[in-house]
Amino acid sequence: MNAPAASCWHCGDRLPIDPPQAVVAGVAHPVCCQGCRAAAEWIAELGLADYYRLRSAKPPRAPEPAAAQRSAAAWQRPELARHAVRTTGAGEAEALLLVDGIRCAACVWLIERALGSVDGVHSVQVNASAQRARVVWDPGRTTLAAILHALARTGYGALPLDAAALDDARRREVRAAQKRLAVAGFGTMQAMMYASALYLGAVEAMDAATRDLMRWFGLLVATPVVFYSARPFFEGAWRSLRARTLGMDVPVAIAVALIYAASFVQALRGGGEVYFDSVSMFVFLLLGGRYLEMRARHRAGHLADAMARLAPAFADRYRADDTLERVGAHELAPGDRVHVAQGMRLPADGVLESAACRVDEALLSGESTPLAKRRGDALTGGSMVVEGPAILRVRQVGADTALAGIAALVARAQSERPRLARAGERAAAGFVARTLTLAALCAAAWSVVDPARAFDATLAVLVVSCPCAFALAVPAAITRALAVLAAQGVFVVRTDAIENLALASHAVFDKTGTLTDAHLELAGVDADDRDEALALAAAIARGSRHPVAQALAHAASGLPLRSADSVRTIEGGGLEADIGGHTYRLGSPAFALGDAAAVDGAVILAGEGGAIAAFRLDERLRPGAREAVAALAAGGVAIEIASGDATPKVEAVAARLGIARWHARQSPAAKLERLRALRAGGARVLAVGDGINDAPVLAGADAAVALASGAELAQAAGDVILDGANLGALPAARAIARETLAVLQQNQRWALAYNLSAVPLAALGFVPPWLAAIGMSASSLVVVLNALRIGRDASAAPAPAPLHAPLGRPA
């Protein structure tokens, strides 16, 4: 006989005492709620039950059918739909949906087929990494509301984005980069093939007509590479020259233009060497480095997506006769009364008009436990009502809300982030000036000594001194580091963070959700019979979604199950239930015992005769937190905590981790001020956080590490994203960063040594142009091969010195 299932067949959540059953293909499967039952049966009804076989991860809990229907129906209103739907030239309608719960390729498969089954839907494109779906439909046959309802029935919540998001700049950037990279890759392969024939023909006899044909073929395939794929380098160089600077795009553009022009002249003359293969390879490698950096940058998401997930799209507003109407959140005005159901987010800032509720402000303020609110207390938009419902009197909307204020702080901190010293740009400017001066002197000298050799000698100088190895030193090392870190679940969004991560002198950690995770753990039980008390408490708590109840239920998972009848939630107090004919209470001392001073700070289980047990709960440290803090401290990094949580909680976590310096009750502005104080003292600061209140300090830090499990607003401000729950990846990432700096410095020294030794020989006429091209390619190959060593033994990486050139985008 099979053991009973312990988790929901659809979403994996813990099952209640008497779980609903989803009947799929004639087999009953236990699920946690009616939403998951409806989703599972709907998936089977569509003929898509293979989803359960194909998936590699389970989706979140499905929305309740009634709530899903009500949310979808709100988009029937033209005032809402017109912001999300755009009409195409072909008379079709399209919208971009931000979809919650995409976990794996099977989710993409299910969403595409479920929406494709809706009559009138023409196409569905799902981007799993961005969690977006683009849907195109016939507005005469279906509506946005019907599409959202079909998606909700499948178990996925979706939020339509503003129609302006359909013209996403990131999407256009990716498509343009892919096309340029494809052209450069094809051109490089073909140019190398024709160049190989020419090189072999120099050793073994090749007739002149064939050599000329190979040159023209090389010109044919290199021309689109130079004039299309290399266009970003020319545009960057032009911007630099207009600004009267010589950035790294300038020598790249000059090298590409001059080598192509010289090869073009040689092809027309029908003699001499051509370098179409070298210029194509150079452009392809540089574009490859920039493309990888761009993709990593896009992983962090976008501030607009983050705000869209936190700010509800609509609200239930009271009419004058106290009936409810669903309106867009942007339609709210100060003075409106709004009904917010349990589990929903507040659409605006205001004050509580109902008697009481509890709200989760962890992402906004850092407070680790839901806060009890009474009539007249202030409520912050974006907070979630965990015990309610709540009636909100709106005070601030739109740009005046606290959430919008935090987003503004993020934007301001990002704009105020000081740039690294532009020593690299100055070095590039000097390099270009010296190269052009030397080429001019070489041409002048050979024009006097031997005019017939002037062109070849000048060309050899330009080819030898082409900044291939110099320009590839950064992107080769960065590209390899990005790949190694990504394989370890660490995604670098802004490449200058690699240097700052390696050289960080201070680390500022958030507490809630960063050093600790989202769950509480049982720290102790004061009772005569521990197991009996825990079993009773778990029986009462098992059906509740409250973090304290879930912690008690989890702690009793190995004990025999007890059944509780008539579990009642007492607003602001706790839970009450009947077990075996007796009434028990579980909650605060004031609720369970009627005496607030009885066992302050504990959760009390009381029966008809008084207290039975006191449970002490602590925040659970995030996996790897202790090891990460120890490793960073051993590496000479000064560590401190800046948290918005209460002083006792911050002090307790700091003591458990051995962190001597900590700050509690920190607002986002106070955290940012602390960071500025450290940096004013010469510190290079690494900030680690996950909440919305961490976003400003992340945006203003030298290196910002955000957790993928945290708020998207924090990820939008992060330089590095840690994927997964384990903080142990942070010191490993720092080791990779230190090794990257060491290899990068080696690459730059090699490129400099090569140019210093080869250029004089070329200027004196000892290096023919064809040998200069081979030398240029060989020096670039050395740089790339050296970069491939990154990640093989990161633990042995030496302590790097600060770079003279910043790690900006691969040049």
Side-chain angles (χ1 to χ4, degrees):
M1 183 172 142
N2 293 333
S7 61
C8 174
W9 184 67
H10 178 74
C11 73
D13 271 9
R14 188 177 292 115
L15 292 173
I17 294 295
D18 187 15
Q21 301 289 316
V23 180
V24 176
V27 179
H29 301 276
V31 292
C32 62
C33 64
Q34 293 300 327
C36 285
R37 181 194 63 78
E41 293 180 351
W42 174 245
I43 290 170
E45 185 178 330
L46 292 174
L48 302 176
D50 277 349
Y51 161 73
Y52 293 104
R53 177 178 56 83
L54 297 172
R55 66 182 179 178
S56 58
K58 292 188 176 182
R61 174 180 289 208
E64 291 293 331
Q69 174 68 30
R70 189 169 60 254
S71 297
W75 291 96
Q76 291 278 23
R77 298 180 63 231
E79 304 86 57
L80 276 180
R82 65 185 174 87
H83 291 284
V85 179
R86 184 176 70 177
T87 302
T88 67
E92 297 175 319
E94 67 174 335
L96 191 64
L97 309 180
L98 197 58
V99 184
D100 284 325
I102 297 179
R103 298 284 192 264
C104 61
C107 294
V108 175
W109 178 86
L110 175 62
I111 291 170
E112 289 180 343
R113 281 156 180 78
L115 293 185
S117 68
V118 176
D119 181 45
V121 171
H122 293 172
S123 71
V124 182
Q125 298 174 337
V126 180
N127 184 331
S129 61
Q131 294 201 329
R132 291 183 174 200
R134 181 183 300 269
V135 186
V136 179
W137 69 92
D138 180 354
R141 297 166 60 192
T142 191
T143 63
L144 176 62
I147 292 169
L148 293 175
H149 185 226
L151 193 57
R153 290 187 69 180
T154 314
Y156 296 91
L159 176 66
L161 293 175
D162 192 276
L166 289 161
D167 297 319
D168 193 347
R170 289 183 296 171
R171 179 169 169 264
R172 295 196 304 271
E173 183 185 13
V174 169
R175 292 186 63 180
Q178 288 173 337
K179 288 190 289 187
R180 295 186 194 280
L181 191 60
V183 170
F186 177 78
T188 298
M189 289 188 294
Q190 296 302 311
M192 291 292 289
M193 181 176 69
Y194 302 135
S196 298
L198 287 173
Y199 294 149
L200 292 174
V203 178
E204 300 178 5
M206 177 184 286
D207 61 90
T210 304
R211 283 198 299 270
D212 289 343
L213 183 62
M214 292 298 105
R215 291 190 183 97
W216 283 105
F217 280 159
L219 172 64
L220 181 66
V221 298
T223 297
V225 175
V226 171
F227 287 94
Y228 174 69
S229 296
R231 182 176 176 179
F233 303 113
F234 291 117
E235 291 176 343
W238 176 242
R239 286 192 298 268
S240 295
L241 293 175
R242 289 183 62 185
R244 297 184 180 181
T245 62
L246 291 176
M248 198 60 194
D249 280 339
V250 174
V252 171
I254 290 176
V256 170
L258 290 180
I259 294 173
Y260 175 81
S263 300
F264 181 73
V265 170
Q266 296 287 39
L268 289 177
R269 289 170 53 183
E273 304 297 333
V274 293
Y275 311 99
F276 297 121
D277 58 323
S278 298
V279 72
S280 299
M281 179 189 69
F282 184 34
V283 171
F284 175 68
L285 291 176
L286 290 178
L287 284 177
R290 286 192 178 183
Y291 178 76
L292 289 177
E293 186 234 349
M294 177 196 65
R295 295 295 292 180
R297 186 176 72 248
H298 289 177
R299 279 183 183 274
H302 193 270
L303 189 62
D305 289 5
M307 293 290 289
R309 288 188 187 276
L310 289 165
F314 44 80
D316 293 326
R317 182 173 64 187
Y318 283 98
R319 298 187 180 95
D321 59 358
D322 274 351
T323 59
L324 291 175
E325 61 172 341
R326 179 148 290 190
V327 299
H330 64 279
E331 299 178 67
L332 294 177
D336 286 346
R337 293 172 66 241
V338 177
H339 179 273
V340 185
Q342 181 170 308
M344 302 300 292
R345 293 193 179 274
L346 297 167
D349 291 356
V351 296
L352 182 65
E353 284 209 343
S354 52
C357 70
R358 293 179 73 87
V359 296
D360 182 359
E361 296 183 350
L363 290 178
L364 289 164
S365 68
E367 179 67 46
S368 58
T369 55
L371 300 176
K373 299 288 185 177
R374 304 292 178 189
R375 182 179 286 109
D377 287 349
L379 296 175
T380 305
S383 303
M384 179 178 288
V385 178
V386 295
E387 290 182 14
I391 298 177
L392 172 74
R393 174 73 69 174
V394 176
R395 288 287 181 262
Q396 288 88 27
V397 296
D400 296 328
T401 62
L403 182 59
I406 292 176
L409 270 178
V410 173
R412 190 177 72 186
Q414 287 177 331
S415 66
E416 290 179 353
R417 175 181 290 180
R419 300 290 181 184
L420 295 174
R422 294 299 182 185
E425 299 294 337
R426 291 194 297 270
F431 180 83
V432 174
R434 286 190 294 271
T435 297
L436 295 179
T437 300
L438 181 59
L441 291 175
C442 179
W446 280 106
S447 295
V448 174
V449 175
D450 187 352
R453 298 180 62 186
F455 182 80
D456 284 349
T458 304
L459 182 59
V461 169
L462 289 174
V463 173
V464 165
S465 60
C466 171
C468 284
F470 190 77
L472 286 175
V474 171
I478 292 298
T479 301
R480 172 62 179 175
L482 292 178
V484 171
L485 290 170
Q488 298 181 7
V490 180
F491 302 103
V492 178
V493 179
R494 299 175 181 89
T495 52
D496 61 344
I498 292 180
E499 179 183 14
N500 291 323
L501 179 62
L503 302 176
S505 60
H506 287 69
V508 178
F509 282 86
D510 172 50
K511 178 188 72 69
T512 305
T514 303
L515 293 173
T516 62
D517 64 18
H519 304 284
L520 299 173
E521 63 181 358
L522 185 64
V525 180
D526 295 329
D528 293 334
D529 187 337
R530 179 186 184 280
D531 288 352
E532 174 64 15
L534 193 55
L536 288 170
I540 300 171
R542 191 167 287 114
S544 173
R545 307 293 295 175
H546 194 283
V548 171
Q550 290 181 334
L552 291 173
H554 179 73
S557 57
L559 300 176
L561 289 178
R562 300 286 296 271
S563 179
D565 300 321
S566 302
V567 178
R568 302 171 290 280
T569 300
I570 310 301
E571 194 172 289
L575 300 172
E576 185 178 75
D578 298 327
I579 302 177
H582 299 282
T583 300
Y584 296 88
R585 285 189 165 195
L586 179 69
S588 66
F591 166 70
L593 301 174
D595 181 4
V599 189
D600 191 26
V603 177
I604 304 301
L605 172 66
E608 297 165 347
I612 297 174
F615 303 99
R616 296 187 307 278
L617 299 171
D618 281 340
E619 292 179 87
R620 190 168 69 191
L621 292 180
R622 181 175 289 275
R626 199 183 306 275
E627 294 78 7
V629 168
L632 290 174
V637 179
I639 299 175
E640 59 183 75
I641 298 175
S643 173
D645 209 348
T647 298
K649 297 177 182 178
V650 179
E651 184 179 16
V653 171
R656 292 166 67 185
L657 293 173
I659 300 175
R661 195 174 186 88
W662 50 269
H663 308 272
R665 293 297 185 194
Q666 297 283 290
S667 66
K671 290 185 177 185
L672 188 57
E673 188 59 37
R674 174 58 188 161
L675 179 139
R676 287 170 175 162
L678 287 173
R679 297 182 67 191
R684 193 174 297 214
V685 182
L686 163 66
V688 188
D690 80 314
I692 298 171
N693 63 319
D694 302 317
V697 72
L698 291 175
D702 294 295
V705 178
L707 303 184
S709 58
E712 291 198 20
L713 191 58
Q715 294 180 32
D719 299 320
V720 179
I721 309 297
L722 293 186
D723 188 20
N726 198 316
L727 272 180
L730 181 57
R734 187 167 184 264
I736 294 293
R738 290 163 68 87
E739 186 183 19
T740 301
L741 258 62
V743 168
L744 197 153
Q745 290 164 349
Q746 294 168 8
N747 284 349
Q748 290 179 328
R749 285 194 292 267
W750 157 255
L752 182 61
Y754 162 77
N755 279 282
L756 289 177
S757 59
V759 169
L761 295 175
L764 292 173
F766 295 119
V767 179
W770 66 268
L771 184 58
I774 293 176
M776 179 185 67
S777 301
S779 66
S780 300
L781 186 61
V782 168
V783 164
V784 172
L785 291 176
N786 190 44
L788 292 178
R789 297 191 303 109
I790 295 174
R792 292 183 178 179
D793 188 15
S795 61
L803 289 178
H804 296 294
L807 290 185
R809 64 178 187 178

